[in-house]
Amino acid sequence: MIKNILFDLDDTILDFKKAEKIALFKTLEELGVTPDDEIAQKYSRYNISQWKRLELGEITRQEVKVNRYKLLFDDIGADCSPELATEIYEEKLAVGHYFIDGAEDLLKSLCKSYNLYLVSNGSKKVQTGRLASAGISPYFKGIFISQDVGYEKPSPLFFEKVFHSIDNFSKSETAIVGDSLSSDIKGGINARIKTVWFNPRKEINDSNIIPDYEISSLSLLKKLMQEI
């Protein structure tokens, strides 16, 4: 029986892709670069590649934030400062929020029957701002941001820190819900808890990371939790 649910934030509760694009466009405009969808796609690819390197322990969080802009500006031939872009972008990203469909109602419902915890690899400054805007912090009994924890998902050390903060904790009573196979699901597997892959686009999983369960809509989660 599940008692504790660990939720990822970006693209599980809040629509990060939408927020990311809006913040990126505003950042580029402030730097004198005309944004378009092609540039946004390039940024997204560089961003994902750098976060993967962080998960593997190859680079630091700060290097992720600066490298993605350095790679982008080199690609499009823009004479802009990656460091300044990083600063502007984080300020823009920390303002406002956009919910994944059904996320807010789901949290309101689940918090009455389960202990909910937030587990995020995002920047503390950005996530704190977005959580304040969304007003969802009261639904969680604990909020764990990797910058505070000292480790990143999928590291077992991240989850150990989280588990030590939960009263009467039991792995058999705990599940993680997230959209990232390499971060959330692999992390849950490493930590030996139940894993639920949120896959709204119904993408094909061609990796060796196999979740215990998969859902395409958050509306399916409450029933699933009752069945596990």
Side-chain angles (χ1 to χ4, degrees), residues 39-94:
I39 289 177
Q41 289 170 3
K42 288 182 177 182
Y43 170 84
S44 181
R45 288 197 298 271
Y46 291 132
N47 183 48
I48 291 170
S49 72
Q50 296 308 295
W51 279 105
K52 296 294 185 187
R53 293 186 66 194
L54 177 67
E55 291 172 6
L56 293 171
E58 296 177 353
I59 57 176
T60 66
R61 172 180 295 276
Q62 186 59 28
E63 287 174 321
V64 169
K65 295 189 287 187
V66 175
N67 284 356
R68 58 192 179 185
Y69 276 107
K70 183 179 187 305
L71 291 166
L72 176 65
F73 293 154
D74 286 347
D75 188 336
I76 65 176
D79 184 19
C80 301
S81 165
E83 290 80 10
L84 178 58
T86 298
E87 182 179 337
I88 296 172
Y89 174 77
E90 288 205 334
E91 290 176 357
K92 305 296 185 186
L93 190 60

Side-chain angles (χ1 to χ4, degrees), residues 22-42:
I22 291 171
L24 173 65
F25 274 36
K26 289 181 178 179
T27 298
L28 294 176
E29 288 170 350
E30 194 162 321
L31 292 171
V33 177
T34 301
D36 57 31
D37 287 342
E38 183 179 354
I39 289 177
Q41 289 170 3
K42 288 182 177 182

